[in-house]
């Protein structure tokens, strides 16, 4: 085989790999579009703040694989800080008569995090109040109910590890201000439920 | 001084070349084996990546709706791209694309894919280290380069743009990227060491196998060559045997009617017998050498003398073919060197004999020079002939024992095919070698090199650049030795030998008595007076050594001449130590027998007994023509040497006479030894033998025959032609 042919074959192979790797990184690094968050803790009969304690709320899709990393990050944030923050994971509930969404792996993972309250968002009421549109979207309200952070807490899609969202929340819990009150969210979309809700409402 | 030859195995270029071939084959085998293993791993990794994607992130969700997760497609397609090309290369290699490098690139990118699919788990990062170790199985450290580069570049870019993806923390300084790359290099360091060691071991193993192969082939070749040799020898031995038996039968049946016919047939028998003897001697020589039993006796000797002797011996053979025999020094000639003169003579006889044999016209030349540029000085002797030459393709195995260059040559020219093998081994034992020099055109040049030993304090004779000693035609004569009346006891168990000796000596006028073994011989010698006793040394009942010793112990002073078929170098000394006065080797040469008996009976004599080349070689025939130095005496410097020798010779002969008269054995031995060396250096080889006999007589404290040898030396001295004084001026 001639040299040119050999170079061509190898180049095509490397190019295909390059395309694959680029797509991998592109998918991994492309965040979801977050919803519009309320600046104050939204009043809700099913979810109330504890007075004098900041609140950390994460919305999660019960089967979103990317949210596994978000829950892990949440676990790292809350660990040893349970007494300083009220942590809540709100799972969307898409239950129908034919299909149950209770107690998925992610639900079990969230329940296992010490100091974390897990609630099910029946009919999408909470996500609607908070304006959450994608899984892993997290909110931090200070003890006065003011929104201090809104965004994701993973560095990329489904990728655990330190990131600025994680760092911002830890700073806020410790009583410091943060220069990064937001961070991209990487997770599955919750919007179908919203659409359904909006249509219903 | 004695040293033994070493027949060690030579590690030559051929073995090294073969070792490299084996190494290349082994390496290719390792590459292919590892390629196949990696191909399997690629498929397993591909399937593993898909399964991991299906388990970890099978679906992506949009509310309650789902679709196949991107990771699943990524595992299928990117994994497929990574795995397919290297696997294809293993199945259908493409020349010029080294599969192992493609494998290395693919493998480390698979690590990246798997790490990604597992969400960057730290455990998955170990896949990289495992992959590098696996790549080291190729035993080619260069394979690690692309893999390491990909890891380093990946970490560098991530360190700059997305540190959390690798280091788990944000805001990582660049140094962290280098640290990660350094850990990879840390592993590489040991893997590279491992690769290099493996390669060394493979090479060592290849060398061992090449040597084993070489030894095996050599053994097989030797076995084959020996079989062929035996077949040839069988033919070679049968041919002269046929001549001997056939002509003997003719003689017995009385078919030969005239004296001329009888002489002709006897000549055939004699020639056949000598050829047989040469064959057997060569076989014995090569057997001894191969068995590592060749002994080298280093002593001081004149190279010029040795060469002159060889020329003297070979001269008749050259004259028969009407070719010139020349001898030239191209450098100063050392008066003496330290070597084994007997072995040197044997080598030269062999090579000069071959040269004459294969030269039909022109000349055979011995060109000698001293090489003092080496660590140890060497004597270089080129034997140059203008003969038929040796084709290049025939030269390779020419020095191998049991290998004959060309069967047609053997049939035409005869010979055993062992001479060159023997010569080379002798030369190597003497610290040199024998090689064929490349020559343009016809003819062949064999170059002998030997170690001369230290030349400190050795007198150097200047030699002209183009002096040559032309062979001189000599008229060989036959002379019947007239022995005086005498009584000889022949102690010999072999009937044929007894009859031969009896016939020869009786013809010369001696009275013969026979004893069949040593016991009878001793009894007869004690009861009768004999003038000489011829004693076979290997006999039943009582051997010759015991018999001679007993006779000496009984006070018998009769000269005892030992006869033995042993060809060992020290056999003569053994006989003399047993009390014998002289030594004759078997088969008995009639001329030498007569000379020895004449010496023992104090008869001055001159022998030119036989006219064949071998007999001349053995007998050192003499005649009455003037003795001219073999040195180029037309040059003043050599003429001076001869003149000095003549003066010196007169003094030495007087000293020898005094030593004999006074019974001073030690002085006789010393003076004779001195004379022997000096005569050789002066170009008078004829003095060597009688001087040597006198030396032995002195050493053995037996002066019975000393006077005869002295008379012989005196006669020789009177025949010397002294160079003209005017020439010297």
């Amino acid at each position: 085989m001639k040299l040119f042919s050999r170079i061509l074959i190898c180049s095509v192979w490397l190019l295909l790999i390059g395309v694959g790797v680029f797509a991998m990184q592109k998918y991994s690094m492309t965040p979801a579009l977050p919803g519009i968050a309320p600046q104050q803790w939204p009043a809700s009969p099913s979810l109330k703040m504890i007075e004098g304690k900041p609140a950390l709320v994460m919305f999660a899709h019960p089967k979103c694989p990317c949210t596994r990393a978000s829950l892990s990050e949440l676990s790292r944030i809350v660990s040893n800080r349970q007494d300083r923050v009220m942590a809540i994971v709100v799972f969307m509930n898409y239950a129908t008569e034919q299909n149950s969404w209770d107690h998925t792996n992610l639900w079990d993972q969230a329940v296992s995090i010490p100091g974390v309250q897990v609630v099910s968002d029946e009919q999408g009421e909470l996500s609607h109040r908070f304006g959450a549109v994608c899984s892993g979207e997290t909110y931090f309200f200070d003890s006065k109910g003011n929104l201090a952070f809104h965004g994701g807490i993973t560095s990329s899609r489904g990728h655990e590890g330190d990131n600025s969202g994680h760092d911002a929340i830890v700073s806020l819990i410790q009583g410091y201000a943060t220069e990064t009150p937001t961070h991209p969210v990487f997770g599955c979309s919750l919007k179908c439920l919203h659409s359904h809700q909006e249509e219903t409402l | 001084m004695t040293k033994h030859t070493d027949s060690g195995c030579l590690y030559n270029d051929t073995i090294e070349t073969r070792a490299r071939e084996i190494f290349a084959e082994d390496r290719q085998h390792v590459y292919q084996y590892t390629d196949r293993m990696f191909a399997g791993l690629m498929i397993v990794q591909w399937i593993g990546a898909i399964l991991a994607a299906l388990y970890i992130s099978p679906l992506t969700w949009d509310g309650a709706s789902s679709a196949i997760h991107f990771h699943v497609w990524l595992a299928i397609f990117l994994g497929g791209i990574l795995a397919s090309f290297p696997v294809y290369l293993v199945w259908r290699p493409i020349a010029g694309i080294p599969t192992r490098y493609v494998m290395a690139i693919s493998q480390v990118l698979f690590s990246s894919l798997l790490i990604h699919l597992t969400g960057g788990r730290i455990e998955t990062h170990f896949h990289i280290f495992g992959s590098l170790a696996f790549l080291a199985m190729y035993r080619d450290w260069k394979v690690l380069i692309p893999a390491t580069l990909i890891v380093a570049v990946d970490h560098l870019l991530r360190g700059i743009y997305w540190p959390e993806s690798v280091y788990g923390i944000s805001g990582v300084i660049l140094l962290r990227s280098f640290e990660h790359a350094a850990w990879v290099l840390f592993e590489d360091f040991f893997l590279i060491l491992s690769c290099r060691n493996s390669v060394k071991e493979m090479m060592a193993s290849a060398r061992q196998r090449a040597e084993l192969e070489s030894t095996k082939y050599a053994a097989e070749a030797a076995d084959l060559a020996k079989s062929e040799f035996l077949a040839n020898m069988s033919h070679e031995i049968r041919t002269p045997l046929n001549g001997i038996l056939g002509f003997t039968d003719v003689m017995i049946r009385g078919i030969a009617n005239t004296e001329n016919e009888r002489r002709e047939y006897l000549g055939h028998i004699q020639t056949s017998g000598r050829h047989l003897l040469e064959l057997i001697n060569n076989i014995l020589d090569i057997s001894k050498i191969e068995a590592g039993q060749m002994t080298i006796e280093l002593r001081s000797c004149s190279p010029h003398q040795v060469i002159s002797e060889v020329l003297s011996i070979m001269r008749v053979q050259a004259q028969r073919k009407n070719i010139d025999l020349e001898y030239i020094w191209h450098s100063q000639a050392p008066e003496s060197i330290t070597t084994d003169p007997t072995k040197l003579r044997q080598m030269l006889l062999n090579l000069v004999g071959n040269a004459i044999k294969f030269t039909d016209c022109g000349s055979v030349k011995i060109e000698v020079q001293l090489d003092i540029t080496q660590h140890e000085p060497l004597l270089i002797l080129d034997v140059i002939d203008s003969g038929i030459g040796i084709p290049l393709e025939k030269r390779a195995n020419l020095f191998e024992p049991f290998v004959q260059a060309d069967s047609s040559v053997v049939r035409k020219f005869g010979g055993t095919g062992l001479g060159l093998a023997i010569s080379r081994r002798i030369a190597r034992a003497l610290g040199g070698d024998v090689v064929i020099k490349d020559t343009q055109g016809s003819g062949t040049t064999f170059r002998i090199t030997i170690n001369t030993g230290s030349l400190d304090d050795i007198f150097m004779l200047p030699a002209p650049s183009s002096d040559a000693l032309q062979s001189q035609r000599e008229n060989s004569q036959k002379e019947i030795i007239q022995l005086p009346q005498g009584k000889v006891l022949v102690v010999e168990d072999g009937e044929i030998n007894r009859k031969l000796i009896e016939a020869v000596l009786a013809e010369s006028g001696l009275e013969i008595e026979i004893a069949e073994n040593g016991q009878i011989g001793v009894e007869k010698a004690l009861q009768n007076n004999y003038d000489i006793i011829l004693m076979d040394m290997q006999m039943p009942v009582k051997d010759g050594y015991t018999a001679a010793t007993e006779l000496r112990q009984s006070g018998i002073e009769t000269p005892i001449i030992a006869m033995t078929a042993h060809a060992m170098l020290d056999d003569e000394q053994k006989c003399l130590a047993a009390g014998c006065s002289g030594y004759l080797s078997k088969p008995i040469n009639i001329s030498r027998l007569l000379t020895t008996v004449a010496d023992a009976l104090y008869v001055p004599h001159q022998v030119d007994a036989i006219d064949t080349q071998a007999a001349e070689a053995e007998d050192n025939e003499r005649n009455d023509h003037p003795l001219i130095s073999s040195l180029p005496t037309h040059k003043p410097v050599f003429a001076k040497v001869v003149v000095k020798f003549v003066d010196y010779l007169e003094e030495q002969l007087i000293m020898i006479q005094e030593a004999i008269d006074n019974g001073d054995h030690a002085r006789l031995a010393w003076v004779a030894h001195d004379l022997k060396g000096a005569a050789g250096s002066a170009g008078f080889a004829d003095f060597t033998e009688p001087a040597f006999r006198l030396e032995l007589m002195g050493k053995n404290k037996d002066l019975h025959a000393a006077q005869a040898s002295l008379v012989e030396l005196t006669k020789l001295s009177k025949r010397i032609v002294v160079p003209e004084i005017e020439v010297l001026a």
Side-chain angles (χ1 to χ4, degrees):
Chain A
M1 186 176 281
K2 289 180 180 177
L3 178 64
F4 176 76
S5 303
R6 294 200 298 267
I7 291 173
L8 184 67
I9 288 172
C10 290
S11 300
V12 168
W13 181 62
L14 289 172
L15 183 68
L16 288 173
I17 290 173
V19 169
V21 171
F22 175 79
M24 182 173 77
Q25 293 299 329
K26 177 80 176 168
Y27 175 78
S28 179
M29 298 296 290
T30 303
L33 287 173
I36 299 168
Q39 292 303 308
Q40 287 288 321
W41 178 268
S44 169
S46 56
L47 193 63
K48 293 181 178 175
M49 285 185 70
I50 300 172
E51 195 172 339
K53 212 171 188 179
L56 180 63
V57 181
M58 174 187 283
F59 282 84
H61 189 287
K63 292 185 180 178
C64 171
C66 314
T67 305
R68 189 177 295 113
S70 298
L71 288 173
S72 294
E73 287 305 310
L74 179 68
S75 175
R76 287 175 59 210
I77 292 169
V78 175
S79 175
N80 298 324
R81 298 187 186 96
Q82 301 95 314
D83 54 339
R84 300 177 66 174
V85 66
M86 181 186 77
I88 303 159
V89 177
V90 181
F91 275 100
M92 302 306 293
N93 193 338
Y94 306 103
T96 61
E97 288 179 2
Q98 292 80 26
N99 189 6
S100 171
W101 290 74
D102 293 337
H103 303 292
T104 61
N105 290 334
L106 290 175
W107 178 282
D108 293 340
Q109 184 184 352
V111 167
S112 68
I113 301 171
V116 170
Q117 182 184 349
V118 180
V119 297
S120 177
D121 186 17
E122 302 294 339
Q123 303 303 316
E125 182 258 334
L126 287 173
S127 62
H128 181 66
R129 288 183 187 278
F130 281 81
V133 295
C134 53
S135 184
E137 198 168 346
T138 306
Y139 302 80
F140 184 87
F141 294 92
D142 63 17
S143 56
K144 295 176 181 173
N146 297 320
L147 181 68
F149 177 86
H150 171 221
I153 53 171
T154 58
S155 59
S156 63
R157 192 174 294 277
H159 199 107
E160 294 177 26
D162 280 3
N163 59 86
S164 58
H166 166 278
D167 296 344
I169 292 173
V170 169
S171 294
L172 290 168
I173 293 173
Q174 289 171 343
Y176 300 110
T178 179
E179 294 176 355
T180 52
T182 186
H183 184 75
V185 185
F186 300 96
C188 293
S189 173
L190 309 172
K191 68 177 182 180
C192 281
L193 184 59
H194 294 163
S195 303
H196 172 70
Q197 286 280 329
E198 282 165 6
E199 285 167 11
T200 307
L201 290 171
Chain B
M1 188 187 300
T2 300
K3 68 178 184 182
H4 290 272
T5 56
D6 179 16
S7 55
C9 185
L10 291 175
Y11 187 78
N12 55 27
D13 290 344
T14 309
I15 292 177
E16 183 63 20
T17 305
R18 178 60 190 140
R20 290 189 182 284
E21 285 174 4
I22 292 172
F23 173 73
E25 286 168 9
D26 285 354
R27 201 154 203 204
Q28 197 58 36
H29 176 74
V30 168
Y31 291 160
Q32 288 173 348
Y33 173 74
T34 315
D35 278 346
R36 285 197 294 273
M37 289 185 69
F38 260 114
L41 180 66
M42 286 289 157
I43 293 168
V44 169
Q45 286 176 156
W46 186 16
I47 295 169
I50 294 168
L51 291 177
L54 287 173
Y55 177 73
I56 296 167
S57 49
L59 298 170
T60 184
W61 293 88
D62 190 2
S65 305
S66 65
I68 300 294
H69 198 282
F70 177 74
H71 282 182
V72 175
W73 298 121
L74 191 71
I76 291 170
F77 289 107
L78 183 57
I81 292 166
L82 290 175
S84 58
F85 187 46
V87 169
Y88 176 82
L89 286 179
V90 173
W91 178 46
R92 290 282 171 86
I94 297 176
I97 301 179
T99 309
R100 58 189 181 283
Y101 289 99
V102 173
M103 212 57 95
I105 293 169
S106 190
Q107 182 62 21
V108 78
L109 288 171
F110 244 120
S111 294
S112 182
L113 176 63
L114 291 173
I115 289 168
H116 183 87
L117 294 177
T118 56
R121 287 166 60 86
I122 190 69
E123 291 84 351
T124 321
H125 282 74
F126 290 111
H127 186 272
I128 290 180
F129 295 101
S131 296
L132 290 173
F134 199 169
L135 286 170
M137 281 186 67
Y138 278 116
R139 305 186 197 184
D140 177 8
W141 64 269
K142 293 188 286 296
V143 167
L144 298 171
I145 292 175
T148 304
L149 276 177
I150 289 173
V151 172
V153 169
D154 176 75
H155 279 62
L156 186 66
L157 292 176
R158 285 173 185 270
I160 293 170
Y161 300 109
W162 186 22
E164 300 93 332
S165 66
V166 184
Y167 311 114
I169 56 170
S170 57
V172 173
I173 56 173
L174 198 59
L175 190 64
R176 194 79 188 269
S177 296
F178 289 114
E179 185 191 339
H180 271 238
W183 281 113
V184 174
L185 289 174
F186 177 74
E187 186 188 4
D188 282 350
F189 174 75
F190 298 106
L191 294 176
I192 289 168
L193 274 185
S194 169
C195 286
R196 290 177 64 86
N197 287 340
S198 292
V199 166
K200 281 181 186 170
E201 285 167 10
M202 284 170 71
M203 193 63 211
S205 166
R207 285 202 177 96
Q208 283 177 346
R209 283 163 58 195
E211 283 172 358
L212 281 174
E213 272 185 13
S214 173
T215 308
K216 178 171 169 278
Y217 293 148
E220 287 172 355
D223 189 44
L224 185 65
K226 281 185 182 178
S227 298
E228 289 175 356
F229 170 77
L230 285 176
N232 284 340
M233 283 299 102
S234 175
H235 173 259
E236 289 293 327
I237 289 171
R238 280 169 194 276
T239 304
L241 268 179
N242 189 46
I244 293 168
L245 295 174
F247 282 109
T248 306
D249 195 34
V250 166
M251 298 293 289
I252 290 169
R253 290 167 190 269
I255 296 171
N257 294 320
T258 67
E259 181 60 21
N260 283 344
E261 278 182 342
R262 276 195 292 276
R263 290 185 69 82
E264 184 189 340
Y265 297 159
L266 286 170
H268 290 321
I269 291 169
Q270 190 182 41
T271 306
S272 300
R274 287 205 171 104
H275 183 65
L276 259 182
L277 182 63
E278 184 196 353
L279 272 173
I280 290 163
N281 282 340
N282 277 346
I283 293 167
L284 283 175
D285 276 351
I286 198 74
S287 300
K288 277 197 292 183
I289 290 170
E290 292 295 305
Q293 291 175 348
M294 180 175 68
T295 54
I296 299 296
E297 190 181 5
L298 296 178
R299 57 190 167 96
S300 177
C301 67
S302 160
H304 170 72
Q305 179 188 339
V306 173
I307 298 165
S308 296
E309 285 170 8
V310 170
L311 288 179
S312 172
I313 290 165
M314 302 309 294
R315 190 171 295 143
V316 175
Q317 198 176 337
Q319 285 165 352
R320 269 212 199 109
K321 297 188 78 173
N322 204 25
I323 57 176
D324 292 331
L325 196 54
E326 300 174 11
Y327 165 38
I328 306 167
W329 274 88
H330 286 305
S331 68
Q332 289 186 313
E335 187 179 31
S336 65
I337 60 172
T338 305
T339 188
D340 185 330
T342 309
K343 293 284 187 285
L344 176 59
R345 189 181 298 111
Q346 185 181 352
M347 258 194 305
L348 277 172
L349 281 171
N350 212 325
L351 293 178
V352 175
N354 274 352
I356 293 172
K357 192 190 293 180
F358 294 108
T359 303
D360 290 331
C361 61
S363 66
V364 169
K365 204 187 298 181
I366 302 178
E367 293 187 357
V368 193
Q369 56 183 310
L370 196 59
D371 183 1
I372 53 173
T373 60
Q374 305 298 318
H375 177 61
E376 291 181 329
L378 294 173
L379 189 69
I380 300 172
L381 303 104
D382 287 339
V383 179
I384 305 163
D385 68 55
S386 55
I388 57 175
I390 301 169
L392 276 174
E393 66 274 13
K394 298 283 173 61
R395 294 181 180 180
N397 297 324
L398 211 55
F399 292 98
E400 293 299 318
F402 305 113
V403 174
Q404 296 181 335
D406 190 327
S407 58
S408 64
V409 170
V410 174
R411 280 195 298 275
K412 185 177 175 186
F413 295 100
T416 61
L418 293 170
L420 287 176
I422 292 169
S423 296
R424 169 164 276 185
R425 279 152 182 75
I426 289 173
R428 286 180 175 170
L430 295 179
D433 203 351
V434 178
V435 295
I436 307 177
K437 277 182 72 180
D438 280 333
T439 49
Q440 299 295 323
S442 65
T444 308
T445 298
F446 282 92
R447 167 162 286 190
I448 303 172
T449 50
I450 58 165
N451 200 323
T452 63
S454 172
L455 293 178
D456 297 343
D457 305 323
I458 299 295
F459 179 63
M460 289 288 176
L461 300 169
S465 61
S466 61
D467 282 330
L469 301 179
Q470 299 289 332
S471 61
Q472 298 168 354
R473 288 185 175 278
E474 295 172 3
N475 294 321
S476 51
Q477 299 176 357
K478 289 190 173 183
E479 185 177 331
I480 304 300
I481 296 176
Q482 291 299 324
L483 298 173
Q485 290 292 319
K487 195 172 178 185
V488 180
L489 174 63
V490 179
V491 188
E492 164 68 67
D493 64 319
E495 187 182 356
I496 300 293
N497 278 339
R498 279 204 308 268
K499 287 196 170 179
L500 173 70
I501 295 166
E502 193 174 1
V504 171
L505 296 183
E507 183 72 15
S508 296
L510 293 172
E511 183 185 341
I512 311 299
E513 281 204 16
I514 298 295
E516 285 79 8
N517 60 50
Q519 182 62 43
I520 299 170
V522 170
E523 287 168 5
K524 285 196 170 186
L526 291 174
Q527 290 164 8
N528 303 290
N529 288 325
Y530 297 102
D531 296 300
I532 186 167
I533 299 170
L534 295 176
M535 180 78 75
D536 183 21
M537 302 312 280
Q538 290 78 43
M539 287 183 294
V541 184
K542 183 176 284 182
D543 65 24
Y545 301 103
T546 311
T549 306
E550 285 182 7
L551 287 173
R552 293 299 183 221
Q553 286 170 348
S554 304
I556 300 293
E557 293 183 352
T558 308
I560 302 172
I561 307 300
M563 300 184 293
T564 175
H566 281 183
M568 303 302 286
L569 187 70
D570 60 353
D571 215 47
E572 183 172 359
Q573 298 293 338
K574 199 173 163 187
C575 294
L576 295 175
C580 295
S581 318
Y583 174 91
L584 281 170
S585 63
K586 288 184 178 178
I588 299 294
N589 181 285
I590 293 170
S591 296
R592 187 175 283 278
L593 172 65
L594 291 171
T595 308
T596 308
V597 171
D599 281 343
L601 295 174
Y602 311 125
V603 178
H605 59 89
Q606 293 169 328
V607 178
D608 279 341
I610 51 177
D611 60 354
T612 62
Q613 63 168 73
E616 282 158 356
E618 291 180 15
D619 288 342
N620 260 341
E621 57 185 353
R622 299 169 183 81
N623 54 36
D624 287 331
H625 67 75
L627 276 182
I628 301 170
S629 169
S630 55
L631 293 176
T633 52
H634 62 282
K635 297 284 182 184
V637 67
F638 286 99
K640 276 182 186 174
V641 173
V642 175
V643 171
K644 275 188 181 177
F645 173 72
V646 171
D647 294 341
Y648 158 87
L649 178 60
E650 285 179 13
E651 294 168 11
Q652 297 298 98
L653 291 176
I654 293 167
M655 287 165 72
I656 290 171
Q657 185 63 64
E658 287 173 358
I660 293 171
D661 293 343
N662 298 332
D664 190 344
H665 307 109
R667 186 171 175 78
L668 177 64
W670 176 71
V671 176
H673 176 81
D674 208 27
L675 175 61
K676 184 182 67 175
S681 299
F684 295 107
D686 296 31
F687 284 82
T688 306
E689 191 178 321
F692 182 54
R693 283 204 305 271
L694 277 173
E695 182 185 347
L696 284 179
M697 289 174 204
K699 284 180 179 172
N700 293 295
K701 301 179 180 176
D702 180 2
L703 305 183
H704 283 91
Q707 193 62 43
S709 295
L710 178 59
V711 170
E712 188 179 347
L713 286 172
T714 308
K715 280 204 164 193
L716 285 171
S717 72
K718 289 174 181 170
R719 287 163 46 202
I720 289 177
V721 176
V722 182
E724 293 293 328
I725 301 300
E726 288 77 11
V727 173
L728 292 174

